Amino acid sequence: FLSGCSYSIKALNEYVNPADSLLFTINVIPDAYPSVEVEEYRDSIIENMLFFSGQIKDDYGFKKLTFNCAVRNDNSEKNSQTFPVTINTQLVQQQFFYQLNMNDVVHTPGDVIEYYFEVWDNDGVSGSKSSRSRTMIYKTLSAEEVQEKSENNTEKLKNNMQAALKNASSLQKSIDELNRRLIDKKSLSWQDKQNIEQLLDKSKELQKKAEDIQKMFENKENWENQFKELNEDILKKQEELNKLLEKLMSDEMKALMEELEKAMDKLDKEKVKNMLDKMKLGAKDVEKELDRSLELFKQFEFEKKLSETIEKLDKMAEEQNKLSEKSEDKNADNKQLEKEQQNLSQKFENLKKDLDDLDKKNKALEKPNKFERTDEQQKNISEQMQNSSEQLQKNNNKKASQSQKKAAEEMNQLSDKLKEMEQEMMQENMAEDIDALRDILENLLRSSFAQEALMLTLSKTRVNDPKYVALMQEQNKIKDDLKMIEDSLFALSKRQTQIQSFVNSEIADINSNMDKAVESLVGRNIQLANNRQQYVMTHINNLALMLNEAMQNMQMQMQQKSGSCNKSCSKPGQGQPSFKSMRQMQEALNKMLQDLKEGKQPQDKQGQGQSLSEQLARAAAQQEAIRNQLRSIAEELKKQGLGNSKELDDLQRKMEQSESDIVNKMISRETINRQQEILTRLLEHEKAEMEREMEERRESNEAKNQKFSNPNQFFKYNNLKSKEEEILKTIPPSFRIFYKNKINEYFYNFHE
């Protein structure tokens, strides 16, 4: 039956003629149209990620559900695309969830995308009927809008870093002021404790700002990476800068704040003064790291902008070449050609603004790069583009094509010049920084030798000896020299991310122990002065090892950039640290230390004996290199969720203890035993590494995770999904369709 009707039934045979009949009526209920309702959610960070939750209903069931979109560009052209959405076709009402990355939809920047959901029922008699949701609109950002928003985010980040710098400076002043108030006091008053709490509040505020800066930078880069394809060098520098921002607040500073907050009521004056001094050093380190991060961020933005400008120029030259080929066609539409030329001319005018902005960014650096102005070339390109537009208006396509080709050639020349400047800047800056670091290392070693000689002389000098005053003057001279080294190193760290942030903690320890050594000399306490001088020596040697490693990394990086690296450098995985290589290095180091303890003198390649200091310095450097490799492997294993991080951290601490013993010339039986234990544990990890490699051969490729900040309502997905699973489990297949629908409706409307 396709429509309603009436019918009658009569009983008859050859003997009976029926006088009555039974009348019946059939009402045909038409199959209803399905319905669909949708709610849309936007991700707060991933601009192109859209989330949808919706519900569909029908009286009998569904055939399919699709997501449909149409891209409308400036030319009013539409490009339609359809994506299937997974549903259960047997349930007459159900929730569905869908997410879409707009990058999967073919479009260009500035396009408008219209989209909707469409659902079909399973009507097999009259044919499947469909219903659509409301039409929604998404406007993709144009290249100009992306650039504008990116620049706004950059300015906000710079302002936040500058504000945090002021907070760090203000915190140090507050600590100095409180220390002055406590000088003449024997105990802490209620007001003093209130002042300490205010300092803690300021420290917490500084910590929050540091965390906000790191998060803001990460969000900024994640947002920009959706629209821009950055080259490998820029991505690497982006990652290095992100790591640097993560370490703005040291763990020691955080622990000190917690300790001071917990022990407020039990603190005495001396303990408070000691903790305030440590807090001041921590705040000074934060201020330095903020200042350094701000300068590195400015340099990073300059380099990224230069790279993007070169890419824009190359693309524009290609478009200009294609337009010149179109202009040669006699049947071409001149009005359309003129419109395309005007668009290219406008793009080039925007690019000229980018070049001006690059010049401003460069001049804002403390040490500007050698970035030359290209006004003359820009002027020539603009004139050629203007001339081509005029020739197109006169229908002189041949001359227009010639001007367009010249414009494209000059664009390529300008691009080559920018690339050459980019390469020269990188090489010159790296070479200058390596030379500067080499000078710093040499001056640091001179100060180390001078401090060692002074320490030995002081141990043999009496307090009333006339030479004692000269030794005090020599200590002050070493202090002044180290201050100059500190300033030079800080200036270098503003240009190189290879200078790790923990260098500042070593410098702080050097300054602290140096000040106490000078105070002890003034107080005629030779033993205490000797102890502090020994600490100064230890931290100077540690700093020298760190800087030596940084210089080697910079030299390797420069070698790879200049293309002088041999073939093995380009092999993936070549030279990567492994437990096997570390174990071999540790064996050689242990043998060297055993020989030194037994009094054996190793010789260099010329057969000359080496001094004890030189041998120990070499051994300490080797142990530090092994520890750095171990730290690198530990971080990688931690990312992959493999290995025992606590055990690897403990192994690194043991290596640090051995380094301290070697630097301080205290190679004892305990040191040798510790070295043997390190070797044994490296052997165990080497075996575990081999087992992992065997397992990884059977593993598939790892999926790439993306960070989304979905609306909270969208996370109800799991609960709703579990409800639908419960529906399927609790409806026996023997039920008729009427009762199945009733049960389905009950669970659908059920709220916990």
Side-chain angles (χ1 to χ4, degrees):
F1 291 88
L2 299 179
S3 61
C5 64
S6 300
Y7 66 93
S8 63
I9 299 177
K10 296 180 180 180
L12 72 157
N13 59 22
E14 58 183 313
Y15 304 106
V16 178
N17 188 14
D20 200 1
S21 63
L22 297 175
L23 296 177
F24 297 92
T25 301
I26 292 181
N27 293 322
V28 176
I29 301 173
D31 187 23
Y33 275 77
S35 65
V36 54
E37 296 179 1
V38 180
E39 290 185 19
E40 178 186 8
Y41 306 95
R42 298 284 180 94
D43 191 272
S44 60
I45 297 175
I46 309 299
E47 182 79 21
N48 293 332
M49 185 62 67
L50 302 181
F51 298 91
F52 304 93
S53 68
Q55 59 183 18
I56 52 177
K57 292 182 181 180
D58 191 54
D59 45 3
Y60 290 103
F62 305 98
K63 181 180 180 182
K64 63 179 178 178
L65 174 66
T66 60
F67 176 84
N68 308 272
C69 60
V71 180
R72 189 174 68 243
N73 55 32
D74 294 336
N75 299 324
S76 298
E77 297 176 353
K78 284 194 174 183
N79 175 29
S80 299
Q81 294 174 263
T82 301
F83 301 91
V85 181
T86 302
I87 58 171
N88 187 336
T89 57
Q90 302 302 315
L91 297 179
V92 296
Q93 58 181 9
Q94 58 187 286
Q95 289 269 355
F96 69 89
F97 302 92
Y98 189 69
Q99 69 179 44
L100 179 73
N101 189 335
M102 280 300 177
N103 290 334
D104 297 335
V105 179
V106 180
H107 67 273
T108 56
D111 286 349
V112 175
I113 303 175
E114 298 177 351
Y115 49 93
Y116 59 89
F117 287 86
E118 188 169 11
V119 62
W120 279 264
D121 67 7
N122 61 355
D123 189 347
V125 178
S126 303
S128 184
K129 302 180 294 299
S130 69
S131 297
R132 293 183 179 182
S133 68
R134 61 185 174 88
T135 300
M136 295 161 276
I137 295 177
Y138 176 87
K139 186 180 183 303
T140 61
L141 297 178
S142 65
E144 291 75 19
E145 290 172 329
V146 171
Q147 183 171 341
E148 182 181 357
K149 186 171 181 179
S150 177
E151 289 174 354
N152 290 337
N153 290 339
T154 298
E155 287 303 314
K156 287 180 183 178
L157 184 56
K158 286 181 183 177
N159 293 337
N160 280 17
M161 295 175 90
Q162 289 169 349
L165 265 170
K166 292 180 181 178
N167 282 23
S169 178
S170 174
L171 178 60
Q172 293 176 67
K173 291 178 181 178
S174 300
I175 292 173
D176 287 337
E177 184 178 351
L178 182 57
N179 271 329
R180 283 195 296 271
R181 291 177 182 175
L182 295 178
I183 290 177
D184 299 328
K185 292 187 177 182
K186 295 182 179 179
S187 60
L188 296 177
S189 64
W190 179 85
Q191 185 61 44
D192 294 330
K193 292 182 179 180
Q194 291 297 311
N195 292 334
I196 294 174
E197 287 183 358
Q198 291 177 4
L199 286 180
L200 284 171
D201 291 339
K202 284 186 177 181
S203 298
K204 290 177 182 177
E205 184 181 357
L206 180 60
Q207 180 181 349
K208 186 178 184 305
K209 285 198 172 183
E211 292 171 352
D212 290 343
I213 287 169
Q214 192 274 328
K215 187 175 181 180
M216 186 180 294
F217 175 79
E218 188 176 4
N219 291 343
K220 172 184 176 295
E221 298 308 314
N222 286 337
W223 184 85
E224 290 181 4
N225 291 345
Q226 301 172 73
F227 308 97
K228 305 173 184 177
E229 291 185 6
L230 303 178
N231 60 47
E232 186 178 349
D233 291 338
I234 297 297
L235 285 173
K236 186 176 180 182
K237 289 178 181 178
Q238 177 179 303
E239 184 180 355
E240 289 174 348
L241 187 54
N242 190 35
K243 288 181 180 179
L244 189 65
L245 291 172
E246 287 178 351
K247 299 176 182 177
L248 282 178
M249 289 290 290
S250 65
D251 294 336
E252 291 79 4
M253 181 73 169
K254 295 176 184 177
L256 182 63
M257 289 165 52
E258 293 176 0
E259 183 183 353
L260 187 58
E261 188 174 16
K262 290 178 181 177
M264 279 289 297
D265 298 330
K266 302 177 183 178
L267 293 177
D268 57 19
K269 176 190 168 183
E270 290 302 320
K271 190 171 183 180
V272 166
K273 189 176 183 306
N274 184 35
M275 297 182 79
L276 287 176
D277 289 340
K278 290 181 180 179
M279 185 179 287
K280 181 184 176 182
L281 288 174
K284 188 175 181 180
D285 287 344
V286 173
E287 183 182 18
K288 279 187 172 183
E289 287 301 313
L290 279 168
D291 191 10
R292 177 193 178 193
S293 299
L294 179 59
E295 188 64 20
L296 286 170
F297 177 67
K298 290 178 181 178
Q299 176 67 27
F300 169 73
E301 286 295 312
F302 169 79
E303 293 176 358
K304 186 167 71 169
K305 181 89 172 180
L306 178 57
S307 177
E308 292 171 357
T309 304
I310 292 172
E311 289 179 5
K312 286 181 184 177
L313 196 54
D314 288 338
K315 186 177 179 181
M316 203 178 300
E318 185 180 351
E319 291 176 359
Q320 187 68 78
N321 260 325
K322 289 180 179 178
L323 186 59
S324 70
E325 293 174 359
K326 290 182 182 179
S327 299
E328 291 176 349
D329 187 0
K330 295 179 181 180
N331 299 323
D333 184 356
N334 276 29
K335 289 185 178 180
Q336 181 63 28
L337 293 175
E338 187 180 347
K339 182 180 179 181
E340 291 182 21
Q341 183 60 64
Q342 288 175 353
N343 288 337
L344 275 175
S345 298
Q346 183 58 48
K347 286 182 180 180
F348 187 72
E349 289 301 314
N350 293 335
L351 187 133
K352 288 165 70 175
K353 293 178 182 178
D354 290 342
L355 290 170
D356 290 337
D357 187 44
L358 265 173
D359 188 52
K360 292 177 183 177
K361 287 180 182 293
N362 187 48
K363 290 177 179 177
L365 297 172
E366 290 185 7
K367 186 185 176 185
N369 302 289
K370 293 182 180 179
F371 182 73
E372 300 176 9
R373 299 279 304 183
T374 57
D375 296 335
E376 188 65 29
Q377 286 176 290
Q378 295 175 39
K379 182 181 177 182
N380 293 338
I381 294 171
S382 296
E383 288 176 353
Q384 293 293 344
M385 297 178 85
Q386 179 64 29
N387 185 46
S388 65
S389 294
E390 293 173 357
Q391 295 299 329
L392 286 171
Q393 290 174 0
K394 298 176 183 178
N395 294 326
N396 195 341
N397 288 24
K398 186 176 181 180
K399 289 186 177 180
S401 178
Q402 291 174 354
S403 297
Q404 289 166 345
K405 283 182 180 178
K406 288 181 181 178
E409 288 174 2
E410 294 197 11
M411 284 181 190
N412 285 323
Q413 291 174 6
L414 179 56
S415 174
D416 291 340
K417 185 174 182 179
L418 291 176
K419 289 174 185 175
E420 186 179 350
M421 278 195 287
E422 183 182 37
Q423 186 69 15
E424 286 179 357
M425 279 188 292
M426 187 278 295
Q427 291 181 348
E428 289 181 10
N429 291 343
M430 185 68 77
E432 288 179 10
D433 292 343
I434 290 174
D435 289 340
L437 185 53
R438 187 180 291 110
D439 292 339
I440 291 172
L441 263 173
E442 290 176 358
N443 292 331
L444 195 61
L445 289 174
R446 288 194 192 100
S447 297
S448 176
F449 291 139
Q451 184 65 73
E452 184 177 18
L454 177 62
M455 184 173 60
L456 294 174
T457 305
L458 182 63
S459 63
K460 301 174 184 178
T461 305
R462 295 182 179 181
V463 175
N464 54 2
D465 193 311
K467 292 192 296 184
Y468 188 83
V469 176
L471 295 179
M472 291 175 58
Q473 294 173 347
E474 179 65 21
Q475 185 65 73
N476 281 314
K477 181 180 180 303
I478 296 173
K479 180 181 177 181
D480 293 339
D481 291 342
L482 287 172
K483 178 60 179 173
M484 293 176 61
I485 292 172
E486 177 186 356
D487 295 340
S488 300
L489 185 57
F490 182 60
L492 178 62
S493 70
K494 288 184 175 184
R495 304 190 299 272
Q496 279 295 332
T497 54
Q498 295 289 346
I499 309 297
Q500 298 294 332
S501 55
F502 51 75
V503 166
N504 281 332
S505 63
E506 290 294 334
I507 291 175
D509 289 333
I510 290 172
N511 291 335
S512 176
N513 286 292
M514 181 65 76
D515 291 339
K516 291 175 181 178
V518 172
E519 290 176 8
S520 300
L521 287 174
V522 173
R524 307 282 172 164
N525 190 336
I526 293 179
Q527 184 178 358
L528 184 56
N530 260 319
N531 290 338
R532 292 300 173 182
Q533 288 171 336
Q534 183 64 58
Y535 284 129
V536 170
M537 282 282 300
T538 300
H539 291 297
I540 287 177
N541 291 338
N542 289 341
L543 182 59
L545 291 171
M546 295 175 187
L547 297 182
N548 183 60
E549 181 187 3
M551 187 171 70
Q552 290 176 358
N553 291 337
M554 289 165 63
Q555 288 172 336
M556 186 180 299
Q557 185 178 351
M558 184 178 179
Q559 188 180 28
Q560 291 173 347
K561 294 295 181 184
S562 62
S564 60
C565 186
N566 57 32
K567 294 182 180 179
S568 64
C569 294
S570 62
K571 291 181 181 179
Q574 185 76 14
Q576 295 295 325
S578 65
F579 284 107
K580 182 178 180 180
S581 62
M582 286 190 293
R583 187 259 303 165
Q584 293 171 345
M585 292 171 65
Q586 191 69 45
E587 283 181 347
L589 176 60
N590 288 2
K591 187 176 184 305
M592 180 194 298
L593 293 178
Q594 186 66 40
D595 291 343
L596 288 175
K597 183 166 178 59
E598 294 174 359
K600 297 179 182 179
Q601 292 293 326
Q603 295 182 341
D604 57 19
K605 294 180 180 179
Q606 287 76 29
Q608 300 293 325
Q610 301 173 354
S611 65
L612 180 61
S613 297
E614 185 179 355
Q615 296 166 31
L616 292 175
R618 190 185 300 277
Q622 188 171 347
Q623 184 65 78
E624 199 236 357
I626 298 171
R627 179 170 58 84
N628 289 331
Q629 289 187 9
L630 180 62
R631 184 176 68 243
S632 176
I633 290 182
E635 290 175 356
E636 187 63 30
L637 290 176
K638 190 175 182 181
K639 289 179 183 178
Q640 299 175 7
L642 302 172
N644 189 332
S645 59
K646 290 184 178 180
E647 186 175 342
L648 293 176
D649 290 341
D650 182 58
L651 192 54
Q652 291 179 61
R653 283 192 291 271
K654 289 185 181 298
M655 290 182 179
E656 286 180 357
Q657 293 173 5
S658 295
E659 289 174 40
S660 179
D661 289 350
I662 296 169
V663 169
N664 295 314
K665 303 177 182 178
M666 298 171 58
I667 303 177
S668 61
R669 172 51 54 185
E670 182 183 356
T671 306
I672 300 298
N673 292 339
R674 188 190 306 117
Q675 293 297 96
Q676 190 58 43
E677 182 184 354
I678 291 172
L679 179 60
T680 301
R681 292 170 70 174
L682 286 175
L683 281 166
E684 294 172 356
H685 285 289
E686 179 186 351
K687 182 179 178 182
E689 183 181 48
M690 292 174 65
E691 292 175 354
R692 280 196 302 272
E693 288 176 355
M694 292 297 292
E695 291 174 358
E696 286 170 0
R697 293 175 186 175
R698 298 188 295 272
E699 291 180 359
S700 60
N701 292 330
E702 182 180 300
K704 294 182 178 179
N705 295 323
Q706 285 184 304
K707 294 181 180 179
F708 300 124
S709 55
N710 304 356
N712 290 333
Q713 297 89 339
F714 195 77
F715 284 114
K716 295 178 180 178
Y717 168 74
N718 289 332
N719 289 334
L720 292 168
K721 182 180 178 183
S722 64
K723 291 178 187 177
E724 292 194 4
E725 289 177 352
E726 188 176 1
I727 293 173
L728 298 176
K729 293 177 181 178
T730 54
I731 302 178
S734 60
F735 278 11
R736 294 179 181 178
I737 187 68
F738 174 80
Y739 294 106
K740 287 185 178 182
N741 290 341
K742 284 293 183 183
I743 295 172
N744 182 21
E745 184 177 357
Y746 168 77
F747 279 106
Y748 180 80
N749 296 322
F750 178 76
H751 295 284
E752 294 181 356

